[in-house]
């Protein structure tokens, strides 16, 4: 096992997953099927009030060596067909430094007015604190500042996002595994919105989620509750 805390990318992914992933205040059903040839089909149905929205997405791996793949999406009730071809191009210069108790990485976009990203982590593989900064060279402002705190047996994420309009959003989230198949998550932001969910893996890669949202500014209104079922045969 590595002794160092690694880079911020690990804490950053944990922050995004913990603060945003699987929170649902509608009714949602997801079915994903895959084939040995690299084709994955995902069907999603979402009920929003009186509307029922569906979309089908097909991911096709075109070339394993060049990381070339295409995504085809069909949306309803507004019928349409979108085809997106994706491939990876090295468009940034980046550097990283790893130490037993620290990890630093930086990158700069190859544009006329690039965005400069700098992230750093201090700690160990048991406890790590990291931050991620983005600086817009065109406006001369910091456009993003995220911070994350990670434990080996639990998670607590504090996310601070700064916008070019000098507005800021602070979100704090935590998660805890009740058992190997059941997890609870909660988050709250400075706007007074609180969310919580409980998620159970009732079969391998198939999840059932119940989530809720309470807005402190509309405390007289009922809390919103959402259900989600994700199947991966």
């Amino acid at each position: 096992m590595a002794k160092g805390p690694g880079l911020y990318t690990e804490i950053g992914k944990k922050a995004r997953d913990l603060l945003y992933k699987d929170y649902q205040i509608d009714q949602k059903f997801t079915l994903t099927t895959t084939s040995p040839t690299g084709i994955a089909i995902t069907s999603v149905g979402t009920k929003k009030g009186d509307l029922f929205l569906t979309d089908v997405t097909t991911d096709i791996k075109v070339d394993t060596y060049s990381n070339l793949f295409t995504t085809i999406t069909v949306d309803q009730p507004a019928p349409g067909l979108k085809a997106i071809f994706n491939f990876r191009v090295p468009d940034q210069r980046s550097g990283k430094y790893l130490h037993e108790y620290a990890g630093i990485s930086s990158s700069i976009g190859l544009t006329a007015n690039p965005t400069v990203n700098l992230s750093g982590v201090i700690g160990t593989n048991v406890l790590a604190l990291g931050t991620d900064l983005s600086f817009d060279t065109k406006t001369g402002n910091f456009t993003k500042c995220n911070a994350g705190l990670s434990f080996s047996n639990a998670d607590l994420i504090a996310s601070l996002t700064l916008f070019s309009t000098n507005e800021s959003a602070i979100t704090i989230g935590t998660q805890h595994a009740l058992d190997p198949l059941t997890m609870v998550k909660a988050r709250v932001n400075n706007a007074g919105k609180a969310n919580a969910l409980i998620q159970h893996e009732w079969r391998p890669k198939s999840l059932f989620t119940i989530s809720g949202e309470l807005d402190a500014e509309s405390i007289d209104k009922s809390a919103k509750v959402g259900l989600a079922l994700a199947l991966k045969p």
Side-chain angles (χ1 to χ4, degrees):
M1 180 181 295
K3 295 182 179 180
L7 298 175
Y8 184 82
T9 50
E10 290 190 17
I11 294 182
K13 184 180 185 304
K14 285 184 178 181
R16 291 188 297 272
D17 289 348
L18 194 155
L19 295 176
Y20 306 109
K21 186 178 180 181
D22 297 323
Y23 284 105
Q24 180 73 30
I25 59 175
D26 302 300
Q27 285 73 52
K28 183 177 181 180
F29 176 80
T30 303
L31 176 62
T32 301
T33 58
T34 58
S35 71
T37 58
I39 299 177
I41 300 176
T42 301
S43 302
V44 180
T46 305
K47 187 176 186 300
K48 294 179 176 288
D50 296 330
L51 295 177
F52 187 77
L53 310 176
T54 64
D55 68 74
V56 179
T57 300
T58 303
D59 292 321
I60 305 172
K61 190 80 171 184
V62 178
D63 187 345
T64 303
Y65 298 101
S66 63
N67 290 320
L68 177 65
F69 58 96
T70 181
T71 299
I72 302 174
T73 302
V74 179
D75 299 316
Q76 293 288 345
L81 177 64
K82 295 187 298 182
I84 304 174
F85 291 89
N86 303 277
F87 56 93
R88 297 180 181 180
V89 177
D91 60 349
Q92 291 188 330
R93 294 179 179 177
S94 62
K96 62 181 179 180
Y97 169 77
L98 294 174
H99 186 267
E100 185 176 0
Y101 300 108
I104 300 174
S105 63
S106 63
S107 65
I108 181 171
L110 300 180
T111 62
N113 299 289
T115 297
V116 180
N117 296 284
L118 176 65
S119 65
V121 180
I122 58 173
T124 66
N125 61 337
V126 177
L127 175 64
L129 174 66
T131 185
D132 181 31
L133 302 174
S134 293
F135 181 78
D136 189 340
T137 58
K138 182 177 181 179
T139 62
N141 296 323
F142 284 98
T143 57
K144 182 182 66 174
C145 175
N146 291 328
L149 179 64
S150 175
F151 297 90
S152 61
N153 60 349
D155 289 281
L156 174 64
I157 299 295
S159 174
L160 169 64
T161 304
L162 303 178
F163 303 97
S164 58
T165 56
N166 293 325
E167 297 179 354
S168 63
I170 302 174
T171 306
I172 299 175
T174 185
Q175 69 180 20
H176 177 68
L178 299 179
D179 58 52
L181 300 176
T182 308
M183 178 184 64
V184 293
K185 293 171 52 176
R187 70 181 183 188
V188 63
N189 62 24
N190 61 323
K193 285 188 177 181
N195 298 75
L197 68 79
I198 182 169
Q199 185 176 79
H200 180 69
E201 186 177 8
W202 56 280
R203 56 176 291 179
K205 298 183 180 181
S206 296
L207 306 173
F208 178 70
T209 307
I210 301 176
S211 59
E213 178 182 279
L214 180 64
D215 190 346
E217 296 183 356
S218 304
I219 198 68
D220 55 322
K221 298 182 180 180
S222 300
K224 299 178 180 178
V225 178
L227 301 174
L229 180 63
L231 298 176
K232 291 186 178 182

